[in-house]
Amino acid sequence: MIIFKHQKDLSNFLQKQVNQGATIGFVPTMGALHAGHASLISESKKHCKLTVCSIFVNPTQFNDTADFAKYPKTIESDIALLESLQTEVLYLPEVSDLYPSGTQQLEHYDLGKVADVLEGPSRPGHFQGVCQVVNRLLMAVQPHQLFMGQKDFQQCRVVARLLELTNSSVKLVTCPTLREPSGLAMSSRNMRLSEVAKQKAAAIYQALNYINSSLKPGPIQTLTEEACSILEKAGFKIDYLKVCNYYDLSETDQWNGTDVLVILIAAYIDDVRLIDNMIVSSR
Ligand code: AMP
């Protein structure tokens, strides 16, 4: 695996590969890699000749400075995992490489409705930060395909909007969520949970499954209240638990039996904010 720290060197190398016919798959991450990230790398390797992974904890997407400061960093094991997966390229920039003019006064994207709900009000500025870094990374890597996880369902929607706004030809591939045997979605943030909290955190998956398996056409408020109590009994403080339209993420309190829905949860346990979602399976 070749590790690049500077955009210019990375771009020069990749351009040469593309000129020789390589297709580039790109997996952006914030490190503290786990099997979920590995699944994105494997997917990229299936479709593209050369896979580029980036590890960069982007300061502009953290609305909470403590969360940024506490973000886990495990660079040595990350490199070992990427090597074991035969990842061809790792881009490991410093803040100054991606933001040469600093992180103040950055561009603003018109992300529309998909960024105004769910994570939007809970984490002001988060999706602007995501787009600021993803756009810079895409400029540096110029991939053919971009691999992201359904775990961050709303983020995938926002990045799709960014690609539209920038007239990008990059193909966004959304990959399924990898889970622990308990059902807990794998996440770098799980490293901050105690063993007891990790056990209790499986309640998110139980709450998602509960709604998914019990949903019938008609009002859904009782189901969401029952799912909330599953979370609260496990010790979660709920930020949101919503059932939304799959396509535009508008919240719904009724199901007509045909619309595709997605259930989304953000909740705190041990002061760690976890998110997860489930697409309602067709009946
Ligand atoms: P992160 O390092 O958390 O920014 O995540 C980098 C990429 O990995 C994003 O596209 C995430 O959606 C994806 N990802 C995170 N957790 C999982 C998981 N459990 N399964 C699949 N993909 C994931």
Side-chain angles (χ1 to χ4, degrees), residues 28-31 34 36-37 40 71 148-149 151-152 176-178 186:
T29 81
M30 297 205 296
H34 49 68
H37 296 111
L40 304 189
Y71 203 84
M148 301 189 89
K151 156 85 171 36
D152 297 279
T177 302
L178 257 76
M186 289 183 181

Side-chain angles (χ1 to χ4, degrees), residues 136-211:
R136 281 166 172 74
L137 290 167
L138 291 177
M139 289 299 165
V141 178
Q142 304 270 330
H144 297 88
Q145 300 196 35
L146 170 63
F147 296 84
M148 301 189 89
Q150 189 208 307
K151 156 85 171 36
D152 297 279
F153 185 84
Q154 190 178 8
Q155 173 171 271
C156 291
R157 276 295 142 81
V158 166
V159 168
R161 170 83 182 137
L162 171 73
L163 296 177
E164 200 179 273
L165 285 173
T166 54
N167 289 319
S168 171
S169 59
V170 176
K171 181 180 170 208
L172 174 61
V173 181
T174 304
C175 305
T177 302
L178 257 76
R179 299 180 179 281
E180 302 287 354
S182 67
L184 173 65
M186 289 183 181
S187 165
S188 307
R189 285 192 168 85
N190 295 352
M191 285 180 195
R192 288 170 46 202
L193 297 175
S194 65
E195 275 314 309
V196 175
K198 224 180 257 177
Q199 300 282 320
K200 291 182 174 172
I204 297 189
Y205 186 60
Q206 287 154 16
L208 291 168
N209 265 325
Y210 180 72
I211 299 180

Side-chain angles (χ1 to χ4, degrees), residues 10-166:
L10 172 75
S11 299
N12 285 342
F13 171 80
L14 292 176
Q15 193 55 59
K16 280 191 200 127
Q17 302 298 314
V18 171
N19 291 346
Q20 288 165 20
T23 49
I24 312 247
F26 180 39
V27 181
T29 81
M30 297 205 296
L33 302 182
H34 49 68
H37 296 111
S39 72
L40 304 189
I41 301 276
S42 305
E43 199 55 26
S44 171
K45 287 188 68 74
K46 261 192 240 160
H47 296 278
C48 301
K49 171 110 189 286
L50 215 139
T51 291
V52 180
C53 175
S54 65
I55 297 181
F56 179 65
V57 186
N58 174 40
T60 79
Q61 72 188 67
F62 285 83
N63 54 312
D64 176 355
T65 43
D67 189 30
F68 175 59
K70 281 190 265 177
Y71 203 84
K73 291 178 188 72
T74 59
I75 192 63
E76 276 168 30
S77 58
D78 290 353
I79 290 175
L81 177 66
L82 292 172
E83 296 265 19
S84 75
L85 296 165
Q86 295 172 324
T87 311
E88 285 83 6
V89 174
L90 169 61
Y91 177 38
L92 198 57
E94 299 287 340
V95 174
S96 58
D97 200 53
L98 282 172
Y99 299 97
S101 313
T103 53
Q104 305 299 314
Q105 301 197 332
L106 297 170
E107 69 281 10
H108 187 273
Y109 295 93
D110 174 15
L111 300 174
K113 239 169 89 177
V114 287
D116 287 344
V117 293
L118 303 161
E119 296 293 289
S122 292
R123 303 185 66 189
H126 170 63
F127 286 129
Q128 289 299 325
V130 167
C131 288
Q132 285 152 0
V133 75
V134 169
N135 197 42
R136 281 166 172 74
L137 290 167
L138 291 177
M139 289 299 165
V141 178
Q142 304 270 330
H144 297 88
Q145 300 196 35
L146 170 63
F147 296 84
M148 301 189 89
Q150 189 208 307
K151 156 85 171 36
D152 297 279
F153 185 84
Q154 190 178 8
Q155 173 171 271
C156 291
R157 276 295 142 81
V158 166
V159 168
R161 170 83 182 137
L162 171 73
L163 296 177
E164 200 179 273
L165 285 173
T166 54

